[in-house]
Amino acid sequence: MLTRRKLALLTGAATTTALLFAALPGSALAQGKTVIDFWHGLPQPLGGQLEQVVKEFNDSQQAVQVNASYKGAYPETMQAAIAAFRAGNAPHVVQMFEVGTATMMAAGPAVKPVYQLMQETGAAFDANAYIPAVKGYYSSTDGKMMALPFNSSSTIMFYNKDAFQKAGLDPNKPPATWPEMIEATKKLKASGSTCPFTTSWPVWAQFEQLGAIHNTPFASQANGFDGLNAELKIDAPLYVKHVQTLIDMQKEGLFKYGGRDNKPDALFPSGECAMIHGSSGLRSRIMKEATFAWGAAPLPYWPEFAKDGPKNSIIGGAAFWVMTSPKRTPAEYKAVSQFFSYLARPEVDAKWHMDTGYVPVTMKGFELTKAQGYYEKNPGADVPAAQLTRTPTTENSMGLRLGNLPEIRNIIQEELEKAFQGQQDAKQALDSAVKRGNAVLRNFERANKG
C-alpha cells in the first residue's frame, strides 16, 4: 500500500488538506447501471467535447453509466486522484498528462494496468493497433500497455499565411529548417510583425521534441525508460546552440517568449504572432478564433544535427489510467473495460481526431479519417500524425519516462526565463537546469527503489 510519505514524494509536493476532501465517487449502481467515475483535466472547449464522447458511450448501451467530472488542470487532477486514493475513494478512471506517466507507473497498487484489466475482464483489446510512438509511451519496459491512450497530440508549427504573403514569403512553403526559420522571422519583422515567432509549451516543444527529432537524448537510460537512475543530458551541444539561438532571436525582436506551458496559445489565433510551435490540439481553437488564412507544418530542424533528416516527434496529451479502491468490484472493472473498448473503436478515434485536432492514436483511426477525405478537405490536418510516424522510433524518440517531470519542466522554464532576461547565457542556463533537475531525479529514485 502507498504510504503518505511516498505519495507526497511521487507528486513532488504534499497534497493539500482541501484536496483530501475532493468530491468522492458516486454509488457503484444507479438505476440498474454500473456507475463509473471518470475524472479529467481538459478545460473548455475540449472538456465539453470529451464529455460528449462520454455521453455518446452512455447512450450506446444500457449497462454502464460513466460520470465525467472536470477536476482542474492536469496537475490538479493528478493531485486530486491521489488524495482520493489515500482516502479509499479513488475514481475508477483518471485522465493523466503524459509527463505524469513515470509517477503513475511508480504508484504500484494504486493503479490497475490496462493490459491486466482487459485480460481479467475478457475484453477484446489489441495493443498493436496503436501508433508505435503512442503505444511505446504508455507501455512498460516489457511492452505491456499500462494506460489507455486517448487525447494524444504532438508539437507542430502553425503559421499565418496572410502574414507570410505580406512579408513576401511563399504562404505554401513554411520553413523546414531552423536557418529557414530565422530568415522567415527577419522578413516578417521587416514587414511590420511585432511577433514573428513564439512557442507554447517551451520545454515540450523546444527541448523534448528537439531531442526526439534530432535523435539526441534528453536524459540517459533511454530518456528514463531503462531505469530510475537517469540523468539529464540537455547540456549537449544541440540544446546549447538551440537555446542560444532563441535568446539571440528574442534580442533581435524575432522571437517572443510568451510564458510557461500553454500560456502563449492565444498569441497565434489572435493574430499577434505570425508563427507558433504548439500542440496539435491547438488546431480546434485556431479554427474557432483565427480571422486569417493559416497553415500547419512539421517542426523545423537543424541540418547539422540531423544529417539523415529528422526523426519522429513524440506525443503529448494524456491517457486514461484505471485506479483501484478497497471496495471496487469485478463488475465495476468490467464496466471500465467496456468503456475502454468503446474508446478504442476506429470510428470513435477518428471522430475525436477530426473534432479536436488531437492525433488519431490507432492506425485504423488514421486510415478511416483519410478514407473519409478529411485530409483533402483540411490541408495540414495530417501533419501531426505524419510527423509522429515518419520514422521508426529510437530510444531517443520513444518519449520520456522521468520522475517528477512537471517539476523538471518548471526548473528548465525558470532557467530559460533568467536567460531571456539577460541574467545568463544558454550554457549557464542549461548547466544549472541539469544540476537542479538531476537532484529532482535522485529524490524520485530514492523514493521508489525496491
Side-chain angles (χ1 to χ4, degrees):
M1 185 64 68
L2 289 178
T3 64
R4 180 183 297 265
R5 177 178 173 274
K6 187 170 182 180
L7 277 164
L9 285 165
L10 283 175
T11 58
T15 307
T16 63
T17 302
L19 285 172
L20 288 171
F21 295 97
L24 301 180
S27 169
L29 288 171
Q31 299 177 338
K33 295 184 177 183
T34 302
V35 174
I36 298 303
D37 288 286
F38 167 43
W39 290 2
H40 72 86
L42 283 181
Q44 297 296 345
L46 290 168
Q49 290 171 296
L50 176 56
E51 289 171 10
Q52 180 60 32
V53 173
V54 172
K55 181 180 184 301
E56 288 165 1
F57 166 73
N58 289 337
D59 292 345
S60 73
Q61 43 73 51
Q62 299 298 315
V64 181
Q65 171 75 31
V66 176
N67 292 335
S69 303
Y70 173 61
K71 291 294 175 179
Y74 288 139
E76 287 76 28
T77 299
M78 180 168 74
Q79 294 275 11
I82 292 177
F85 173 78
R86 290 172 63 184
N89 293 290
H92 299 82
V93 180
V94 63
Q95 181 190 40
M96 189 64 60
F97 58 165
E98 89 285 6
V99 294
T101 301
T103 298
M104 293 302 285
M105 286 192 173
V111 168
K112 182 181 280 289
V114 163
Y115 79 88
Q116 185 181 333
L117 171 83
M118 299 312 232
Q119 284 176 358
E120 290 177 357
T121 59
F125 183 69
D126 180 12
N128 292 323
Y130 288 83
I131 290 172
V134 174
K135 177 192 172 190
Y137 207 110
Y138 296 113
S139 293
S140 59
T141 52
D142 57 356
K144 293 177 179 176
M145 191 85 87
M146 301 295 287
L148 186 83
F150 185 68
N151 59 308
S152 290
S153 57
S154 196
T155 320
I156 63 171
M157 178 166 67
F158 294 101
Y159 66 101
N160 184 327
K161 289 190 172 185
D162 292 349
F164 267 49
Q165 193 94 45
K166 182 181 176 185
L169 294 163
D170 186 342
N172 297 311
K173 192 180 179 184
T177 67
W178 273 98
E180 291 175 8
M181 185 87 180
I182 294 165
E183 285 307 306
T185 58
K186 289 177 179 177
K187 290 183 178 179
L188 287 161
K189 182 185 177 185
S191 71
S193 174
T194 58
C195 174
F197 162 58
T198 191
T199 186
S200 195
W201 298 104
V203 180
W204 183 40
Q206 307 304 327
F207 285 81
E208 296 167 27
Q209 298 288 8
L210 184 79
I213 66 177
H214 293 89
N215 198 22
T216 299
F218 180 93
S220 64
Q221 297 296 324
N223 285 339
F225 274 78
D226 288 349
L228 295 175
N229 58 333
E231 296 183 341
L232 296 183
K233 296 292 184 183
I234 56 171
D235 51 355
L238 167 67
Y239 298 100
V240 175
K241 178 182 176 71
H242 188 68
V243 171
Q244 192 60 53
T245 297
L246 294 177
I247 294 169
D248 295 343
M249 289 177 73
Q250 184 199 232
K251 287 178 183 173
E252 296 170 31
L254 307 178
F255 166 71
K256 177 176 182 176
Y257 177 72
R260 300 183 183 187
D261 300 332
N262 64 343
K263 186 181 177 184
D265 276 359
L267 295 175
F268 182 75
S270 69
E272 181 176 344
C273 294
M275 291 185 285
I276 188 171
H277 293 172
S279 169
S280 56
L282 182 58
R283 183 183 184 92
S284 180
R285 179 173 181 178
I286 296 170
M287 290 172 68
K288 288 181 174 67
E289 298 179 11
T291 58
F292 50 84
W294 55 275
L299 292 175
Y301 66 96
W302 290 102
E304 66 263 45
F305 290 101
K307 296 285 172 60
D308 55 349
K311 303 296 183 188
N312 67 285
S313 60
I314 58 176
I315 65 165
F320 297 165
W321 292 79
V322 183
M323 299 199 72
T324 62
S325 181
K327 298 179 182 178
R328 196 132 295 160
T329 66
E332 290 171 69
Y333 286 123
K334 175 76 173 176
V336 172
S337 72
Q338 289 175 256
F339 179 44
F340 281 10
S341 293
Y342 175 85
L343 296 175
R345 292 180 185 176
E347 63 272 22
V348 175
D349 183 27
K351 185 176 187 299
W352 172 256
H353 161 54
M354 290 185 280
D355 287 349
T356 64
Y358 281 106
V359 300
V361 292
T362 65
M363 288 307 299
K364 287 185 178 178
F366 178 57
E367 290 161 5
L368 179 59
T369 305
K370 190 187 296 185
Q372 292 178 357
Y374 180 75
Y375 298 131
E376 290 178 11
K377 299 170 191 169
N378 297 274
D382 60 340
V383 167
Q387 185 179 256
L388 277 169
T389 58
R390 66 187 169 193
T391 61
T393 57
T394 72
E395 68 174 27
N396 297 319
S397 68
M398 189 181 294
L400 306 176
R401 187 153 304 160
L402 301 173
N404 291 336
L405 186 52
E407 186 178 350
I408 292 171
R409 277 185 171 179
N410 281 335
I411 286 170
I412 295 171
Q413 287 175 147
E414 285 173 7
E415 297 298 340
L416 272 181
E417 287 163 358
K418 290 178 185 176
F420 289 141
Q421 291 161 8
Q423 298 176 30
Q424 57 189 355
D425 62 19
K427 189 173 187 314
Q428 291 169 323
L430 296 178
D431 285 347
S432 180
V434 166
K435 183 178 178 181
R436 295 175 61 197
N438 283 342
V440 171
L441 290 173
R442 297 292 71 77
N443 287 339
F444 187 85
E445 181 183 15
R446 282 191 294 272
N448 292 284
K449 265 189 171 179

